[in-house]
Amino acid sequence: MSITHRSEQPIQAVIFDWRGTLVSGLDPHGWTREALRRSGRERDDHATAALWQAIEMAAGRPDRLGGPHVDITAALHKDTYYAVFADAGLDTEIADALYAVESDPTYNPFAKRCRQVTAGQ
């Protein structure tokens, strides 16, 4: 059985939550490991786990990094992440590396494909 709905107005846009729902980036240990690598620091299992634990504790419950409003604007997103990094006691170098990895489309297949399409590839 098929249900058809006729609308007087055509659909102009569809909005959905894709990040973390339809598309996932690096897992927490991959994220921290890559940030440690970029900042030239030890990135063994102990170092990545310790960094993730510090971030997770600072993010709190409910998780400030996964909150429903963190992605409303680019400025709010960045401010939220850097506030968590500061609360975790992280220095600027590792905070910048973490945010760079978080924002890197290489680790986000959806963003990577969008960049390719808009670049005409």
Side-chain angles (χ1 to χ4, degrees):
M1 180 165 96
S2 173
I3 298 174
T4 308
H5 174 71
R6 285 190 141 175
S7 173
E8 294 297 319
Q9 298 199 358
I11 296 173
Q12 295 179 359
V14 176
I15 299 173
F16 57 93
D17 174 20
W18 61 271
R19 186 171 183 195
T21 305
L22 300 176
V23 176
S24 296
L26 290 171
D27 64 55
H29 293 283
W31 176 40
T32 55
R33 187 178 312 280
E34 177 59 15
L36 289 166
R37 186 195 68 76
R38 288 183 183 200
S39 62
R41 300 181 188 199
E42 182 64 42
R43 58 186 186 272
D44 62 17
D45 289 344
H46 176 73
T48 58
L51 179 55
W52 172 244
Q53 183 177 21
I55 294 167
E56 188 175 35
M57 293 295 292
R61 294 283 178 252
D63 179 5
R64 290 187 287 167
L65 299 180
H69 303 293
V70 73
D71 289 329
I72 290 176
T73 68
L76 179 60
H77 184 269
K78 187 173 185 176
D79 289 348
T80 302
Y81 272 74
Y82 274 89
V84 169
F85 298 156
D87 290 349
L90 305 181
D91 61 66
T92 303
E93 182 182 36
I94 194 64
D96 288 345
L98 284 160
Y99 198 76
V101 174
E102 160 64 22
S103 304
D104 188 338
T106 302
Y107 301 110
N108 180 324
F110 183 76
K112 185 176 181 180
R113 181 66 183 137
C114 285
R115 284 183 62 182
Q116 291 171 341
V117 169
T118 59
Q121 296 179 352

